[in-house]
Amino acid sequence: MPHSARTAHRSPVRAARRLAVVVPLVCSLAALVSCSKQEEALTTPCGVVVDGSGSAAAAKQGFDSEAKLKDSFGEFLTSQKCGTVDFAPITRSSRSSSCRQQQVDLDPPHDAGTDQKAQRARALQDAAVAALAELKCARGQNGSDVWGALARIGEGVPHDGGAAKLLVVSDFDQSDPEFVLSHQDLTTKDKRAKVIDSLVKQRGLPGIKGMDVFPVGLGMQYSAKPSEADDFESFWVEALEGRAQAHVDTQYKR
């Protein structure tokens, strides 16, 4: 029996309805072809250094490293498209400190049916927990060996990806049993160079060549002394860029 014009008109509509039911089913089964949008791969190796010294306390004279870590950490990992994150503490002897957190993979392996956004959100939460645990441990060991922490994070962050990004939550007041930066004369470039020479001779250079260093809290202890703050910040830029051959970026400075 020949189809009527009315039946012929309804057939494409019925087919479309059937298709609307079948497509979600295929997607939910995540068959051979993924129906969900795959997120852009995250490939930047990142590191986070947290200061557990007395000056990092949430006190009137402190710069409150915990608050600054919470304020900048998630933004840093997201905006820099970090694929992994490693951790290092600032303590009285940062390089040999027992404070250790495992690397967190921020772009875990997935298949066609994976909800990547949810998976990455869980990874970011794991990273935040690890960063706070590193800070808590560092507070128990006190001290402020910033140079040693930079050396340690340089050893921990992978070098086979893109240029690594380092978030350093610290006032950068180097003060350990062998070297106290506040006792040094930083008033001229030549004098700062001599201090850097002394530090490098004692400790060597941290392996952060080519990495981007994002300081949070740099020089906050000199907030009431602008001239000293300028000399202090110049010292660290000259040490990190001029000697360690890293790049200092104040994007997350708080």
Side-chain angles (χ1 to χ4, degrees), residues 37-125:
K37 179 183 177 182
Q38 296 297 298
E39 300 293 325
E40 176 188 0
L42 303 176
T43 59
T44 306
C46 295
V48 176
V49 177
V50 290
D51 192 337
S53 66
S55 64
K60 185 177 181 179
Q61 300 302 321
F63 73 93
D64 197 347
S65 60
E66 182 173 341
K68 284 182 172 49
L69 175 64
K70 290 178 178 178
D71 186 45
S72 59
F73 185 62
E75 179 188 349
F76 165 74
L77 294 183
T78 303
S79 63
Q80 298 304 320
K81 299 182 179 180
C82 297
T84 58
V85 58
D86 287 88
F87 306 89
I90 294 177
T91 67
R92 62 179 173 269
S93 183
S94 302
R95 201 164 188 175
S96 60
S97 170
S98 59
C99 298
R100 297 183 185 280
Q101 293 294 318
Q102 296 297 314
Q103 181 189 84
V104 176
D105 186 347
L106 299 171
D107 191 12
H110 57 275
D111 56 29
T114 301
D115 183 339
Q116 282 184 272
K117 288 186 177 179
Q119 183 187 50
R120 289 178 176 181
R122 289 191 296 270
L124 284 171
Q125 184 175 17

Side-chain angles (χ1 to χ4, degrees), residues 220-236:
M220 286 194 66
Q221 66 274 41
Y222 296 107
S223 59
K225 303 175 182 178
S227 61
E228 292 185 30
D230 288 344
D231 291 339
F232 185 83
E233 292 186 28
S234 292
F235 167 84
W236 279 106

